[in-house]
Amino acid sequence: MAQQKVNFKNSNNQSIMMSAVINFPKGFDPNKKYAAIVVSHPGGGVKEQTAGLYARKIAEQGFLTIVYDASYQGESTGEPRQLENPYIRTEDISAVIDYLTTLPYVDSEKIGAMGICAGGGYTANAAINDHRIKAVAMVSAVNIGSMFRNGWENNVKDADALPYLLAGANARTNDASGAAIATMPLAPVKKEDAPNAELEEAWEYYHTDRCQYPTAPGFATARSLAQIITYDAYHKAEAFFTQPLLTVVGSNAGSKWMSDELMDRAATADKKMYVVEGANHMSLYDRENYVNEATAVLSSFFGDKL
C-alpha cells in the first residue's frame, strides 16, 4: 500500500507545520476523486502508533486516510512541546480537513473522521463544529474533560476536580517565570503508578516495546489542565451532532461510559454502538484480533455513509 508523508501549514496557526501521512487505497488514480478519512491519535500518542495502524487498515479497504501529529506534538511543530490543549486538538482536525480540500483527488463532499481515545472525543467535538465531516466514528472514545474531572470510572464529582484547575493555573505561572515547563503524565509512567489493570496496559503500551515511540514521551504540559478540566468534547451535541455516528467499545472497557454519554447526547438518529466482546480500552489499540474486528465494522460504516 502506498503512503506519502506530507507537511503543511496549520490553517489555524500559520506558524505551526503539521506532519501527516496519507495512505492511498490500492489502485489509486490521482485523476479520480476519493472519500477521505481523518484519523486522530490518543492524548499522548502519535501517528505512528494506534492511529496509524487504523489508518493503514482502513485504507486497505479502499479509502484514502490521513493520520497526523497534533500541533505541539510528534513531528508537528509548536512550542511548548507536548501541549495538550483540547480546543487546539479539536481545531487541528478542521485544519487537516482544510488541507484535504486542496487536494484534487479528495472528494470534499465525502470526508469522514475518526479517532481513538481522546482523539475520538476531539473528533466528536470537531464534527459538532465542522459539518464538512459527513460521518463520525470512534474507538475507545474518551471525553478528556470528563475523564480528568470525573475519573476513569466516572466516580468523582465535577467540583472535586477544582484542585486540578488550580494546578493548571499554577503551572502557567511557573512557565511564565522562565522555569522548566511543568509537566504531568497522560498515561502511567511506571507500572506501579497504574491504579488498575486496564491502565497498567496504558503504561505497557506507551512505555515498553509493545508500542513505545520516540516522539511520544507520554506526558503533557501541566498548564493544559487549565483547559482540559472545563472542556466538554460533546458540548452542544444535543443540537448540532447530526452526522451518522459509530462508537466502537470493548465489553470490558472502564471508559465505555464516555461512549454511552455521546450515544445519549448526539442529536443524530443515525447512531450505533458496536461492542467488541472481550476487549478493554487498551486492547483495541493494537491487539490484532480486536483491531481487525473493529476495522471491518469501521470500513463498512464509512462505506455506507460516505
Side-chain angles (χ1 to χ4, degrees), residues 28-182:
F28 173 75
D29 181 348
N31 295 311
K32 294 182 179 178
K33 285 189 178 290
Y34 293 84
I37 299 164
V38 181
V39 185
S40 298
H41 62 69
V46 289
K47 64 185 183 302
E48 289 80 9
Q49 295 173 320
T50 180
L53 176 62
Y54 275 92
R56 290 192 301 275
K57 284 185 170 288
I58 291 172
E60 289 170 0
Q61 302 305 313
F63 297 94
L64 183 147
T65 64
I66 184 167
V67 58
Y68 64 98
D69 286 329
S71 298
Y72 307 95
Q73 299 175 26
E75 294 180 315
S76 293
T77 64
E79 298 285 342
R81 299 306 297 165
Q82 301 310 124
L83 183 73
E84 184 76 20
N85 182 322
Y87 301 95
I88 293 173
R89 286 286 316 256
T90 296
E91 284 292 336
D92 279 349
I93 297 167
S94 289
V96 174
I97 292 171
D98 291 346
Y99 171 70
L100 286 177
T101 64
T102 70
L103 302 177
Y105 47 79
V106 169
D107 186 338
S108 296
E109 296 302 313
K110 293 185 176 182
I111 292 175
M114 65 162 285
I116 302 97
C117 190
Y122 296 138
T123 298
N125 202 190
I128 291 165
N129 300 336
D130 189 342
H131 283 249
R132 293 177 300 176
I133 299 172
K134 303 302 183 187
V136 185
M138 48 203 62
V139 176
S140 295
V142 160
N143 179 344
I144 195 169
S146 293
M147 188 190 76
F148 270 81
R149 284 191 302 275
N150 308 125
W152 186 251
E153 294 172 339
N154 195 22
N155 54 7
V156 181
K157 293 177 182 175
D158 280 2
D160 291 338
L162 181 61
Y164 290 113
L165 265 185
L166 301 177
N170 289 337
R172 293 185 70 133
T173 298
N174 169 84
D175 297 352
S177 75
I181 299 292

Side-chain angles (χ1 to χ4, degrees), residues 107-294:
D107 186 338
S108 296
E109 296 302 313
K110 293 185 176 182
I111 292 175
M114 65 162 285
I116 302 97
C117 190
Y122 296 138
T123 298
N125 202 190
I128 291 165
N129 300 336
D130 189 342
H131 283 249
R132 293 177 300 176
I133 299 172
K134 303 302 183 187
V136 185
M138 48 203 62
V139 176
S140 295
V142 160
N143 179 344
I144 195 169
S146 293
M147 188 190 76
F148 270 81
R149 284 191 302 275
N150 308 125
W152 186 251
E153 294 172 339
N154 195 22
N155 54 7
V156 181
K157 293 177 182 175
D158 280 2
D160 291 338
L162 181 61
Y164 290 113
L165 265 185
L166 301 177
N170 289 337
R172 293 185 70 133
T173 298
N174 169 84
D175 297 352
S177 75
I181 299 292
T183 63
M184 63 177 183
L186 277 176
V189 176
K190 300 194 292 284
K191 185 176 182 179
E192 54 268 29
D193 293 340
N196 56 48
E198 192 169 26
L199 291 176
E200 189 175 303
E201 267 203 75
W203 160 79
E204 181 188 36
Y205 183 85
Y206 286 111
H207 297 295
T208 75
D209 289 343
R210 176 170 167 183
C211 210
Q212 64 184 353
Y213 200 79
T215 56
F219 63 82
T221 57
R223 67 184 290 127
S224 303
L225 285 168
Q227 288 97 23
I228 289 172
I229 295 300
T230 57
Y231 176 77
D232 175 17
Y234 309 152
H235 181 62
K236 294 297 180 184
E238 299 84 355
F240 302 121
F241 198 125
T242 57
Q243 302 97 317
L245 168 65
L246 171 67
T247 56
V248 178
V249 297
S251 62
N252 299 329
S255 57
K256 180 177 176 291
W257 62 275
M258 288 178 274
S259 293
D260 291 336
E261 182 189 3
L262 181 59
M263 292 293 291
D264 288 342
R265 291 175 62 181
T268 180
D270 186 354
K271 49 188 171 182
K272 178 185 177 184
M273 175 176 284
Y274 183 87
V275 179
V276 180
E277 289 300 328
N280 67 16
H281 181 94
M282 297 303 305
S283 53
L284 276 168
Y285 279 33
D286 64 334
R287 299 305 190 198
E288 187 173 12
N289 55 327
Y290 297 137
V291 171
N292 287 344
E293 183 178 343

